[in-house]
Amino acid sequence: MDIIKMYGTKTFSDEVMREHLPETVYRSLKDTSRLGKPLDPAIADVVAAVMKDWAVQNGATHFSHWFHPLSNVTAGKHDAFLSITRDGKVIGEFSSSALVRGEPDASSFPSGGLRATFEARGYTAWDPSSPAFIREGTLYIPTAFCSYSGEALDSKTPLLRAMQALNPQALRVLRALGNTTSQLVIPTVGAEQEYFLIDREKYESRLDLKLCGCTLMGARPPKGQELEDHYCGRIRLRVADYMKDLDEQLWALGIPSKTKHNETAPAQHELAPIFETANIACDHNLNMMEVMRITAKRHGLTCLLHEKPFAGINGSGKHNNFSLTTDDGINFLSPGKSPAENKLFLVTLCALIECVDNYADLLRMAAAVPGNDHRLGGGEAPPAIISIFLGAEYTDMLTSIAKGIRPSLRDPAALNTDVAILPRLEKDNSDRNRTSPFAYTGNKFEFRMLGSSQSIAFVNTILSAALTDVFARFAQRLEGCDDLETEVAHIVADTIQNHGRILFNGNNYSREWAEEAARRGLPILNTTVEALDALQNPKNVDLFCRTGVLSETECHARHEIFMENYVKVVRVEAETMLYMAQRQILPACVKYMGLLSDSLNALEKAGVENQTLRQRLVALSRQVELLVQRCDHLLESCHGSRNKDLRQRAGFMQEEVRSRMALLRESCDTLESMVGAEYWPMPTYTDLLHRI
Ligand code: ADP
Ligand code: MG
């Protein structure tokens, strides 16, 4: 198989455009997609015609404006390339207006009050910077989704706004530092995606997995991840087949899938693509998640993208690797041979330190989804406290520069294995820190807090907006200074003095760190509900308004949408749990108790007294009583959430409903270990995790 040959065959790529579009149209479109020049409406006709011909030749019968409403899924309706002329002739049609503009009904998507103030009408607008692609016979056209009055109702629009705002300020910094060649600065992102694969038939017989994407109960299996035998272990044949199929489809779609391996938990895996422009990386990640699910189905498997499908073993995250790159290939976070003299590197490090310290609460918010609450801080993922890992080497370098001392960087040491035939390896400047939520990893920062089900758009929007703000100030300082080296040293000194508290190179899982972080005054936002309030914090609203990324109305709408989503998700989980406990587990227990009591009766008739069996029955009966009680309590608290305003309801779901769910779960799991295996009404953790 030739990856290069199959790569991008299903995407309206740069190559396809160059080949099929007239030279002037191609240039014009390229200027728009790369340099951010306004789209020339005159070229839309030609692009639409060429795009349609290419799509039809490649098996498409329909087109769809593909957009990302604020529900972490993608949406779009499908229209056939079909029209009937006045004299009854059937023709294949795709006009420029169909390419450029769509009109889905905005009232059926989360709008957070924007709908009440404005009209239900919504528009999708073609994003020429993200390539269209063909999947299952449809030409998908990436679009932005806005309300009638132009408010963003999606995750793409603010990201594009933030990238647009960042470019000129980042260029200013570059120019001030003497760069004369670069024309464009873009955020680059590589998103590593974790997921679980389980057998489809077993998935189908669990209501919690089907409705909530995660298990709501399940006793701890005899074997979890304790033997540490899954991470990067041999990939099972069935899984390997799936991964191969998946890769081929991703490559055809122009998604640069690169690395695959088994993850820590049983049945858990990871896929990492090569980094791309933030906007495209984001579209590709969402597309990839869809292809992962669809492909699993074809292999008799189910792909779980939930953050915490199973209690007691690791959940799934998404690592967002972030840097800034120019059109001529300069990476802002590349230290180069002499990092202490690399002004761009130093200034960018400082800018990010300031951003992360000032907007730690917003970054935490970007990872706030109900599923992630079970994961963050569990000693498997970063805690809910934001801090930066730079490594000792670069931390010392910055503190030295801040003190006016010339930093002495060690030459990279060699690794000695004491085996003559093995190659000499050059070591990296610093070791890894897997526990940090925001870690410098050599030429990029890795944000490790995102949940596996989330879109990566918001976190990159926040980073880009915050950088815009800081770069504008740094640029001003650098433009007006007498001596660049001195000014950069001042910037470093100010950053360490004002924002040094955000740096932490130790173990983020430790209790001491939580205490230390509190002493340093860092925000500790343990739950989604608390974290979402960052969207109402005036300093954050101000940042978004100042950079033109979100208006105040849009911030409040988002707060409402995410809060409402939280309430709905917890409610669905609670009701699913009640259904399973009352209508599946309770009857199973009663049936098994019948078996025990029949056996006891039979023994008694035969004149045999069996105390242990009797005790078993009594214990079971007590547990069943507790189960019923806890069901009643949960039901009660579900009703108790009514008649409250949205914020109160969310708090109530968090504190009351979720803690009662935890109690009910405890009962279900205890009963699972007491009831005969063939009586248990659903696949167990062992079935799900080890039998695929
Ligand atoms: P790690 O071992 O740190 O996870 P990898 O080299 O496997 O490192 O990279 C992880 C992800 O980071 C990949 O998706 C990779 O493409 C991405 N990445 C590498 N360089 C950059 C960069 N300059 N900007 C953004 N992402 C990057
Ligand atoms: Mg990584």
Side-chain angles (χ1 to χ4, degrees):
M1 183 195 318
D2 187 343
I3 299 186
I4 311 304
K5 256 200 197 133
M6 73 191 310
Y7 195 84
T9 46
K10 295 283 177 61
T11 172
F12 195 65
S13 61
D14 188 55
E15 225 175 307
V16 177
M17 287 193 265
R18 201 167 347 144
E19 194 184 322
H20 295 284
L21 290 174
E23 168 82 17
T24 49
V25 174
Y26 171 74
R27 288 271 148 249
S28 167
L29 188 59
K30 203 73 199 153
D31 281 352
T32 298
S33 61
R34 281 185 65 244
L35 298 176
K37 295 213 178 117
L39 179 71
D40 173 6
I43 65 165
D45 267 331
V46 183
V47 179
V50 169
M51 204 189 264
K52 191 209 80 188
D53 287 347
W54 169 81
V56 170
Q57 270 163 28
N58 284 283
T61 53
H62 288 69
F63 70 93
S64 174
H65 270 205
W66 190 64
F67 59 100
H68 317 144
L70 293 165
S71 44
N72 280 332
V73 291
T74 62
K77 57 181 177 198
H78 301 238
D79 280 305
F81 292 119
L82 179 72
S83 218
I84 297 182
T85 61
R86 236 177 297 156
D87 47 352
K89 229 174 88 195
V90 175
I91 54 164
E93 195 190 53
F94 182 55
S95 65
S96 60
S97 66
L99 165 65
V100 170
R101 195 186 89 149
E103 212 182 301
D105 180 1
S107 65
S108 306
F109 296 100
S111 75
L114 289 176
R115 195 165 70 216
T117 345
F118 306 93
E119 294 190 35
R121 207 190 274 272
Y123 292 106
T124 49
W126 173 37
D127 170 10
S129 70
S130 180
F133 57 92
I134 300 171
R135 239 182 52 201
E136 296 109 31
T138 294
L139 168 71
Y140 286 91
I141 301 158
T143 56
F145 178 44
C146 298
S147 74
Y148 185 70
S149 39
E151 264 94 8
L153 293 175
D154 66 348
S155 54
K156 181 193 270 289
T157 309
L159 177 58
L160 290 176
R161 288 178 188 156
M163 288 168 67
Q164 179 180 291
L166 175 60
N167 175 45
Q169 301 310 330
L171 275 177
R172 268 179 76 194
V173 170
L174 276 176
R175 295 282 185 267
L177 294 176
N179 171 304
T180 53
T181 54
S182 306
Q183 298 299 320
L184 180 74
V185 180
I186 43 166
T188 50
V189 173
E192 304 164 55
Q193 175 76 46
E194 293 179 344
Y195 62 99
F196 279 85
L197 272 186
I198 59 171
D199 184 74
R200 179 131 205 124
E201 227 173 274
K202 299 194 180 73
Y203 161 87
E204 291 287 348
S205 48
R206 285 200 59 139
L207 196 66
D208 47 4
L209 283 173
K210 275 184 75 91
L211 298 188
C212 311
C214 63
T215 59
L216 297 167
M217 53 190 66
R220 202 172 65 80
K223 182 174 186 286
Q225 64 189 45
E226 55 282 270
L227 297 183
E228 299 177 336
D229 56 357
H230 198 255
Y231 182 73
C232 288
R234 185 184 66 78
I235 298 172
R236 284 182 220 225
L237 291 181
R238 193 173 174 198
V239 174
D241 273 349
Y242 164 82
M243 288 177 164
K244 179 171 180 292
D245 189 359
L246 178 63
D247 271 340
E248 286 171 20
Q249 292 179 71
L250 295 177
W251 291 331
L253 287 164
I255 300 175
S257 169
K258 168 91 175 162
T259 309
K260 52 188 179 186
H261 61 81
N262 283 352
E263 253 306 325
T264 307
Q268 193 186 28
H269 314 280
E270 180 179 303
L271 194 165
I274 297 172
F275 69 96
E276 301 174 278
T277 304
N279 173 37
I280 295 174
C282 178
D283 283 1
H284 278 170
N285 180 251
L286 289 166
N287 194 0
M288 183 174 102
M289 284 157 68
E290 279 172 27
V291 179
M292 287 169 105
R293 286 206 194 93
I294 297 166
T295 307
K297 214 167 180 174
R298 273 203 248 106
H299 286 249
L301 298 163
T302 294
C303 173
L304 299 176
L305 293 169
H306 191 278
E307 284 74 25
K308 194 73 184 180
F310 305 98
I313 58 171
N314 279 11
S316 297
K318 181 137 50 189
H319 292 178
N320 188 87
N321 295 274
F322 177 93
S323 188
L324 294 179
T325 311
T326 64
D327 56 330
D328 51 355
I330 301 168
N331 178 353
F332 280 47
L333 285 170
S334 176
K337 285 264 174 281
S338 30
E341 276 109 59
N342 183 341
K343 297 188 195 70
L344 181 63
F345 174 63
L346 294 175
V347 165
T348 309
L349 275 189
C350 289
L352 274 162
I353 291 171
E354 180 168 340
C355 288
V356 174
D357 187 35
N358 282 347
Y359 302 105
D361 56 342
L362 263 187
L363 290 169
R364 165 66 184 95
M365 184 280 305
V369 283
N372 226 6
D373 282 356
H374 303 295
R375 184 178 155 261
L376 299 180
E380 54 169 278
I385 308 164
I386 299 273
S387 65
I388 296 180
F389 169 85
L390 272 190
E393 190 84 11
Y394 290 126
T395 311
D396 292 347
M397 176 189 77
L398 289 185
T399 36
S400 298
I401 295 175
K403 286 184 198 142
I405 308 167
R406 234 194 148 65
S408 56
L409 285 172
R410 274 176 278 125
D411 278 334
L415 187 77
N416 185 7
T417 54
D418 284 333
V419 180
I421 60 164
L422 294 181
R424 256 175 69 93
L425 304 181
E426 214 177 76
K427 285 205 283 192
D428 286 291
N429 253 333
S430 63
D431 199 0
R432 292 277 177 148
N433 181 329
R434 288 276 167 216
T435 69
S436 175
F438 201 87
Y440 182 66
T441 54
N443 62 351
K444 61 191 185 290
F445 272 96
E446 184 170 353
F447 181 61
R448 303 212 178 96
M449 223 181 226
L450 288 181
S452 48
S453 73
Q454 291 191 267
S455 159
I456 57 173
F458 212 2
V459 73
N460 294 303
T461 303
I462 293 164
L463 286 171
S464 303
L467 274 172
T468 302
D469 201 43
V470 180
F471 272 163
R473 266 181 290 117
F474 283 4
Q476 202 161 20
R477 288 178 68 166
L478 296 167
E479 283 158 357
C481 73
D482 295 330
D483 176 54
L484 276 178
E485 202 168 318
T486 316
E487 191 55 35
V488 170
H490 285 160
I491 287 178
V492 172
D494 293 348
T495 304
I496 294 297
Q497 157 130 38
N498 300 327
H499 306 288
R501 64 171 185 166
I502 200 75
L503 299 177
F504 179 65
N505 292 332
N507 178 7
N508 293 66
Y509 293 168
S510 70
R511 236 218 351 251
E512 293 75 25
W513 166 235
E515 290 161 10
E516 169 65 21
R519 270 196 298 279
R520 294 188 189 185
L522 300 178
I524 301 179
L525 304 165
N526 285 318
T527 65
T528 291
V529 179
E530 290 167 89
L532 288 179
D533 285 338
L535 272 169
Q536 291 196 314
N537 186 328
K539 92 174 151 71
N540 298 334
V541 175
D542 196 44
L543 169 77
F544 285 133
C545 293
R546 218 168 41 233
T547 49
V549 167
L550 287 172
S551 68
E552 192 172 347
T553 323
E554 287 171 326
C555 286
H556 292 306
R558 259 150 230 258
H559 181 257
E560 189 173 323
I561 290 168
F562 299 149
M563 211 54 100
E564 209 167 270
N565 176 62
Y566 179 85
V567 170
K568 286 177 185 164
V569 168
V570 179
R571 189 189 52 74
V572 170
E573 286 177 358
E575 287 183 12
T576 305
M577 198 173 196
L578 280 169
Y579 182 99
M580 292 170 77
Q582 292 178 312
R583 306 183 62 180
Q584 296 182 312
I585 294 180
L586 181 61
C589 294
V590 171
K591 212 164 165 188
Y592 186 62
M593 279 156 68
L595 172 79
L596 288 184
S597 94
D598 286 352
S599 313
L600 278 169
N601 285 342
L603 287 172
E604 210 168 292
K605 261 201 200 129
V608 183
E609 178 59 20
N610 188 326
Q611 271 308 328
T612 46
L613 205 56
R614 188 172 298 282
Q615 279 158 10
R616 275 279 154 127
L617 181 59
V618 171
L620 192 55
S621 157
R622 285 209 187 103
Q623 280 301 330
V624 167
E625 235 177 279
L626 201 56
L627 176 86
V628 173
Q629 244 175 44
R630 288 175 170 175
C631 283
D632 291 346
H633 286 163
L634 179 56
L635 192 63
E636 218 172 84
S637 63
C638 285
H639 292 318
S641 71
R642 291 180 191 153
N643 307 325
K644 292 182 165 62
D645 75 25
L646 178 60
R647 179 62 180 76
Q648 285 173 333
R649 215 165 351 133
F652 185 84
M653 294 311 255
Q654 157 67 41
E655 277 153 36
E656 286 295 314
V657 176
R658 277 207 154 160
S659 48
R660 292 193 177 181
M661 284 174 71
L663 284 177
L664 179 54
R665 176 183 184 131
E666 206 180 273
S667 284
C668 295
D669 294 356
T670 307
L671 283 165
E672 188 185 319
S673 62
M674 298 171 85
V675 170
E678 59 185 273
Y679 286 75
W680 198 248
M682 63 194 77
T684 64
Y685 268 25
T686 297
D687 299 330
L688 294 168
L689 293 168
H690 296 288
R691 301 201 170 115
I692 76 155

